[in-house]
Amino acid sequence: MKITPSLITAAITLAASTPLFAASASSSSVTSTDSSGSSQDTTVPVLQKVEVTGKAEPQTQKESAVSVISKEDLQKNVARSVADIFRYEPGVSVSRDSRFGIGSINIRGLDGDRVKITVDGVEQAEAYAPTTTYLRATRTTIDPESLESVEIVKGGDTQAGSGALAGSVKFRTKEPSSFLAAEGDDTYIAVKGGYRSDSDEFSKTATMANRTGDLETLLVYTRRDGHDTNNYGDGSDVTGASRGMNDPGDTDSDNVLAKAQYQLNDENRIGFVAEHYVADSQFDLLSTGSGYHSDDESKRTHFGISHENTHANALYDSMKWQLDYQNTKTTNITRVDSSGRVVDRYFEDDSYQFRTSLQKQLQNHALSYGLNYEYNDLDNLNKDTSSGTTRFSPQATGNTFGAYLKDSWAVNDRLTLLPVVRYDHYRYSTQSDQYIDSWGGAKGHAFTAELGAEFKLTDVYTLFGKYGTGFRAPSMDEMYYYYNAGRGYAILPNPDLKPEHSIFTEGGIRAEGLYGSAELTAYYNRYRNFIESQYLVGTSSTYPLGEYTSVNLDRVVIKGLELKGSLNLDELSARIPEGLSLKGAVAYADGRNVGDDEPLNSVAPLSAVVGLNYDSPNQNWGGAINVSWADGKKKDDLTSSTQYLAIPNYTVVDLTTYYKPTDKITINAGVFNLLDEKYWIWNNVRTQASSSSANLDRFTEAGRNVGVDVTYEF
């Protein structure tokens, strides 16, 4: 499928001409003039005004392709992992590995450090995955039970700064006020238990919130105990690469979220937060060989303090600053029975972060501006009883600084302009020791800008678009990874890597009315100095299998179309039950390494999801049927080195339901892959090593499985 101007024009015309969204809750008459010059009354749909009260974070620019997943969505979908969060979000996928778990989040064909990930504004540690078998650090050390919402910004996000080339994922944790009455002293206590059959996992969550006077507190604790996740393997319980079943093992995790917020006076509020997440797993690595075992741990600890001030003055109407400390550490241990070899490897990121954001209204300009500073201390170490102690990369420190200014300029009643300018600067330094040489330092900076616009055609239809530039500093993994174990090949560092730059263009049309909403978006993104890891630079008598390094590619292009919408079926006819609705989305992307004239393997195939949802008028029961479809990956879509990874298309049906027998009890349940489909998710397969000896059955998803959660509120 190729994107052409005629295709985009036809799709926009179709969306704009659809009458379903033109009807609205009320209408008004205006006088217009026809071609003959006579006047006539025309009914123009007017949407009802909805007033939303409560405290919220500043809204993302409207013209961005933004999706928000609420804690209610997570509860109804029986989400137990980060992968479950994005299950019904076309254009977004999550890679997983049977040993290392969640890998990275992919948005519009890019993943890893090209997606900005934050938790309550705190930058998450960079990806570090220099090996496919012994060390792989995840960036998603968070449990869904601690989340209030997840905001996904698709496409370039200039305001977010370095790393947001593909977009950003903003995890927001729960607040005490989410559980308490709007005013006065109050206490909330709930317990929740759950089970998922695909991993035989039991989960337990306790939530406690309290307001006493001006002090609000919250404590959320979740414990999970499970096993390896089932797949649709061929049942071959053998060892080695031909194994079709997952490696057997045990998993467990603990997650604690604690918050305290104190209202000093009408204009000042301080907050404290503490998080601790740790996930452990032990597997028998039968797919590697007999007698191989793993013992892995991923851990994140976060402490933060914040202050909000709403005393309007010449500089701001509202201001917030926060200071955070975060430690993220991944430890991967591999044991070999036959030789007694033990390989103990870890990657650790200690960071101190400060950021501030301010808002100011000046006539028809809603200004936002702020800055951020981050200090990182990065370390890794490999202890191998066979070869001694080494490092993949030297110890390093990083200093990054950024500042931005954003405006929402209401030019008139129809046109709003949304300009953003930003400056980023980074500086890295490394040090040598007895394990590895220093590869020097690196520094760089960039000015980026974005111009967005919204134009209201009518009270229902709005045109939107943006054009901007993006920037990403190279990561420690890409610049400094070194491996030379005398096995006929070497992976060499490249401290001279240049930062990646992007130019992104996006446009579309949005419709909102009584019967539902729809949004069509087309985008075209170009990337310069795109960083390609483990690039073959040549062979020699010393390295007959090749020398590899990270390099900057000349040019990469990703383009695509996305369509999403919802339809309130109960508004179409009085015969349709109240609370019945239909939702759907389609995402298509095409990416190429223009310099080498090859497809970009990180781009997922065409995908779509359609869901029929029902919520009873009293909200005490409901359910949904979601049908997810994804196209296959043909050999023509792949590079020559990964053509063996071609996979077929699939259709997966999920059935979920909830029931509240009393005001205090809520039951959520789901049957996933209802039709027992055998299928592969592309971004789980393409991250595997390029070896045709692997049995792809081992990378299939689970067959039919069930999940259930029961919540009791005291």
Side-chain angles (χ1 to χ4, degrees):
M1 178 180 177
K2 293 185 179 294
I3 297 178
T4 64
S6 59
L7 177 60
I8 297 174
T9 302
I12 293 177
T13 303
L14 176 62
S17 62
T18 303
L20 281 177
F21 307 108
S24 58
S26 60
S27 61
S28 61
S29 296
V30 298
T31 301
S32 61
T33 304
D34 61 18
S35 58
S36 63
S38 61
S39 62
Q40 57 183 6
D41 286 338
T42 304
T43 300
V44 179
V46 179
L47 294 175
Q48 286 184 334
K49 181 180 178 181
V50 179
E51 184 175 350
V52 180
T53 60
K55 182 170 164 283
E57 296 294 324
Q59 292 297 306
T60 304
Q61 295 177 357
K62 291 181 180 180
E63 89 286 357
S64 299
V66 178
S67 296
V68 178
I69 302 171
S70 67
K71 68 176 185 291
E72 289 79 16
D73 296 326
L74 300 179
Q75 185 171 351
K76 290 179 179 180
N77 294 335
V78 199
R80 67 176 180 88
S81 69
V82 172
D84 290 338
I85 294 175
F86 305 100
R87 184 191 296 136
Y88 305 124
E89 188 64 39
V92 181
S93 61
V94 177
S95 62
R96 287 186 291 178
D97 180 87
S98 59
R99 172 181 176 178
F100 298 104
I102 301 298
S104 62
I105 301 172
N106 186 299
I107 299 178
R108 290 181 175 176
L110 294 180
D111 52 17
D113 292 322
R114 297 183 180 101
V115 175
K116 175 81 75 173
I117 300 177
T118 60
V119 178
D120 292 335
V122 179
E123 301 257 1
Q124 297 306 285
E126 68 178 33
Y128 193 79
T131 74
T132 58
T133 55
Y134 288 127
L135 180 58
R136 193 179 302 174
T138 180
R139 303 182 65 208
T140 52
T141 46
I142 193 167
D143 193 282
E145 288 296 335
S146 69
L147 296 177
E148 178 74 19
S149 64
V150 183
E151 183 180 279
I152 309 155
V153 180
K154 300 178 183 179
D157 189 355
T158 298
Q159 182 187 342
S162 175
L165 294 187
S168 55
V169 176
K170 304 173 185 179
F171 294 104
R172 182 183 168 205
T173 59
K174 293 175 177 176
E175 300 285 349
S177 57
S178 301
F179 303 96
L180 302 173
E183 296 179 350
D185 294 352
D186 191 21
T187 298
Y188 174 91
I189 300 175
V191 293
K192 180 178 180 179
Y195 174 76
R196 282 291 293 266
S197 68
D198 57 351
S199 58
D200 195 26
E201 179 189 275
F202 289 90
S203 62
K204 290 81 68 177
T205 298
T207 302
M208 292 175 284
N210 176 264
R211 183 191 297 116
T212 301
D214 294 321
L215 176 65
E216 294 181 349
T217 57
L218 173 69
L219 179 64
V220 181
Y221 170 70
T222 300
R223 169 74 182 187
R224 299 182 185 274
D225 294 277
H227 302 284
D228 55 287
T229 301
N230 296 333
N231 65 357
Y232 213 120
D234 60 7
S236 57
D237 191 7
V238 298
T239 59
S242 61
R243 180 178 176 83
M245 299 174 64
N246 272 337
D247 294 331
D250 301 316
T251 64
D252 62 76
S253 68
D254 292 277
N255 185 74
V256 179
L257 170 67
K259 288 188 175 183
Q261 298 171 353
Y262 187 73
Q263 194 74 36
L264 295 171
N265 51 49
D266 291 342
E267 297 175 337
N268 291 278
R269 183 180 182 88
I270 59 172
F272 303 90
V273 60
E275 292 180 274
H276 182 69
Y277 173 90
V278 58
D280 296 293
S281 67
Q282 299 82 35
F283 286 97
D284 295 327
L285 304 178
L286 300 182
S287 59
T288 302
S290 178
Y292 285 79
H293 311 279
S294 68
D295 188 353
D296 301 331
E297 181 181 79
S298 296
K299 181 169 60 176
R300 180 174 70 94
T301 302
H302 164 226
F303 299 101
I305 181 173
S306 63
H307 170 229
E308 296 177 68
N309 177 267
T310 56
H311 177 72
N313 54 60
L315 288 178
Y316 60 83
D317 297 328
S318 64
M319 179 273 293
K320 178 180 180 180
W321 63 261
Q322 62 184 81
L323 177 64
D324 299 276
Y325 165 77
Q326 181 173 261
N327 174 271
T328 306
K329 185 175 182 179
T330 297
T331 302
N332 297 143
I333 300 175
T334 304
R335 296 183 174 88
V336 185
D337 290 343
S338 59
S339 62
R341 181 187 180 192
V342 178
V343 181
D344 184 346
R345 295 173 170 170
Y346 74 81
F347 172 74
E348 185 173 16
D349 183 344
D350 257 324
S351 73
Y352 296 86
Q353 303 182 34
F354 174 81
R355 69 189 63 250
T356 183
S357 59
L358 305 94
Q359 290 77 40
K360 182 66 178 178
Q361 186 74 40
L362 294 175
Q363 297 181 347
N364 57 343
H365 294 270
L367 298 175
S368 300
Y369 59 101
L371 57 85
N372 64 276
Y373 170 77
E374 181 174 357
Y375 171 83
N376 295 85
D377 192 343
L378 307 173
D379 188 22
N380 73 103
L381 197 66
N382 314 316
K383 297 179 180 179
D384 191 331
T385 57
S386 175
S387 58
T389 302
T390 61
R391 296 188 192 277
F392 283 133
S393 311
Q395 292 176 301
T397 58
N399 289 271
T400 58
F401 169 81
Y404 72 91
L405 171 63
K406 179 178 72 172
D407 185 16
S408 179
W409 177 18
V411 179
N412 52 47
D413 292 341
R414 290 178 176 269
L415 177 63
T416 301
L417 297 180
L418 300 142
V420 183
V421 292
R422 183 177 174 93
Y423 172 76
D424 285 282
H425 181 274
Y426 70 92
R427 181 188 294 271
Y428 301 148
S429 62
T430 63
Q431 63 184 56
S432 60
D433 57 17
Q434 67 269 37
Y435 304 124
I436 196 170
D437 292 332
S438 168
W439 302 113
K443 64 179 180 178
H445 66 93
F447 287 96
T448 52
E450 177 183 322
L451 178 60
E454 273 199 340
F455 184 76
K456 292 180 67 67
L457 294 172
T458 69
D459 288 325
V460 173
Y461 298 108
T462 301
L463 293 175
F464 62 90
K466 65 179 179 180
Y467 176 86
T469 56
F471 156 82
R472 182 181 79 89
S475 69
M476 177 181 175
D477 183 0
E478 293 164 333
M479 298 182 69
Y480 301 122
Y481 175 56
Y482 174 70
Y483 182 80
N484 182 7
R487 298 182 178 180
Y489 72 95
I491 301 176
L492 306 176
N494 184 0
D496 297 324
L497 278 176
K498 299 177 182 178
E500 295 179 330
H501 292 270
S502 69
I503 297 177
F504 53 87
T505 307
E506 183 175 303
I509 186 169
R510 182 185 303 117
E512 292 181 288
L514 175 65
Y515 292 137
S517 63
E519 183 173 295
L520 175 67
T521 305
Y523 60 90
Y524 183 90
N525 302 330
R526 291 184 293 159
Y527 304 93
R528 182 168 52 86
N529 291 329
F530 196 83
I531 297 174
E532 176 83 356
S533 298
Q534 298 187 16
Y535 184 89
L536 177 62
V537 294
T539 60
S540 65
S541 57
T542 306
Y543 303 110
L545 299 180
E547 292 181 271
Y548 300 82
T549 191
S550 295
V551 298
N552 291 107
L553 299 180
D554 179 37
R555 190 155 56 97
V556 168
V557 171
I558 299 178
K559 55 189 176 181
L561 281 171
E562 294 174 349
L563 175 65
K564 64 179 180 180
S566 63
L567 182 61
N568 302 322
L569 298 175
D570 53 1
E571 298 290 349
L572 299 178
S573 171
R575 298 179 180 179
I576 298 178
E578 180 182 350
L580 196 63
S581 63
L582 187 68
K583 296 181 180 180
V586 181
Y588 167 77
D590 176 68
R592 293 196 71 80
N593 172 2
V594 178
D596 293 340
D597 192 26
E598 283 198 327
L600 200 64
N601 277 341
S602 59
V603 175
L606 175 69
S607 62
V609 61
V610 176
L612 181 64
N613 305 270
Y614 176 73
D615 294 289
S616 63
N618 56 10
Q619 300 289 306
N620 67 348
W621 74 278
I625 299 176
N626 285 288
V627 180
S628 303
W629 176 88
D631 200 5
K633 272 284 189 179
K634 312 300 187 296
K635 290 186 176 182
D636 293 342
D637 300 328
L638 305 172
T639 60
S640 57
S641 62
T642 57
Q643 285 189 348
Y644 80 96
L645 293 176
I647 58 173
N649 58 29
Y650 67 81
T651 302
V652 172
V653 179
D654 298 332
L655 174 64
T656 57
T657 185
Y658 69 91
Y659 175 55
K660 292 178 66 69
T662 71
D663 291 339
K664 296 181 178 295
I665 298 175
T666 302
I667 303 171
N668 294 93
V671 181
F672 304 96
N673 195 2
L674 181 65
L675 303 182
D676 208 23
E677 177 96 343
K678 179 179 180 178
Y679 70 104
W680 293 260
I681 294 176
W682 168 244
N683 277 311
N684 290 341
V685 177
R686 64 103 177 169
T687 55
Q688 307 308 314
S690 297
S691 170
S692 58
S693 63
N695 186 347
L696 288 187
D697 274 356
R698 183 155 48 90
F699 307 115
T700 52
E701 298 301 303
R704 185 184 301 111
N705 63 96
V706 299
V708 61
D709 292 329
V710 179
T711 303
Y712 182 81
E713 300 172 297
F714 291 89

